[in-house]
Amino acid sequence: MHGLGELETAVMNVLWDADEPIKVRDVLERLDTGKSLAYTTVMTVLDNLHRKGWAEREHRGKAYVYTPAWSREEASARALRDVLDSSGDPEAVLLHFVASGSDEETDLLRGALRKKRIRRR
């Protein structure tokens, strides 16, 4: 995910895949990074994600439970927005992006643009 490190992205994937708010220990148990991680490492990553605005937390009992601040799709759209804003030439980026899309993706984009035009009226 744009703007996140490898471990942060792995933790966000656990949060996105969870059906409910989860504790640090639950995140640690579900992480599959190929490395042995300490509880405090995962706790620090979740604290950083909360501070950066990627995760929300709520005190339940003696521990925090965490949820993603936005969906995986919203995060992807925000990453694309960041790329467009920092590119210097958003038109060129969009044209290259559209050229790289499959026919199905192009149809989805056309449909989304039509819906946006209708909402503007």
Side-chain angles (χ1 to χ4, degrees):
M1 200 53 49
H2 186 75
L4 295 181
E6 187 177 322
L7 184 53
E8 289 175 322
T9 299
V11 168
M12 284 305 302
N13 283 326
V14 170
L15 293 181
W16 282 320
D17 291 341
D19 295 332
E20 59 188 11
I22 58 175
K23 296 178 184 178
V24 175
R25 182 140 330 271
D26 300 324
V27 173
L28 178 60
E29 290 172 1
R30 296 176 190 186
L31 269 175
D32 185 19
T33 63
K35 301 174 188 173
S36 179
L37 297 170
Y39 175 92
T40 53
T41 300
V42 176
M43 184 175 62
T44 299
V45 170
L46 283 162
D47 187 55
N48 290 340
L49 288 168
H50 176 259
R51 185 178 38 78
K52 291 178 177 182
W54 282 81
E56 295 177 347
R57 68 183 180 195
E58 176 186 328
H59 218 106
R60 286 204 190 149
K62 295 180 180 181
Y64 284 113
V65 291
Y66 291 85
T67 56
W70 48 78
S71 71
R72 184 179 275 129
E73 295 77 15
E74 289 168 319
S76 296
R78 291 170 72 112
L80 180 55
R81 170 60 26 213
D82 288 347
V83 168
L84 291 172
D85 289 347
S86 65
S87 71
D89 191 352
E91 180 181 0
V93 172
L94 285 171
L95 290 173
H96 285 289
F97 176 74
V98 169
S100 72
S102 67
D103 289 343
E104 182 180 296
E105 290 166 336
T106 302
D107 290 343
L108 287 169
L109 188 54
R110 279 190 187 108
L113 291 170
R114 273 193 294 277
K115 286 179 187 175
K116 183 176 180 177
R117 257 187 252 134
I118 290 170
R119 279 185 287 189
R120 282 187 172 175
R121 292 180 188 170

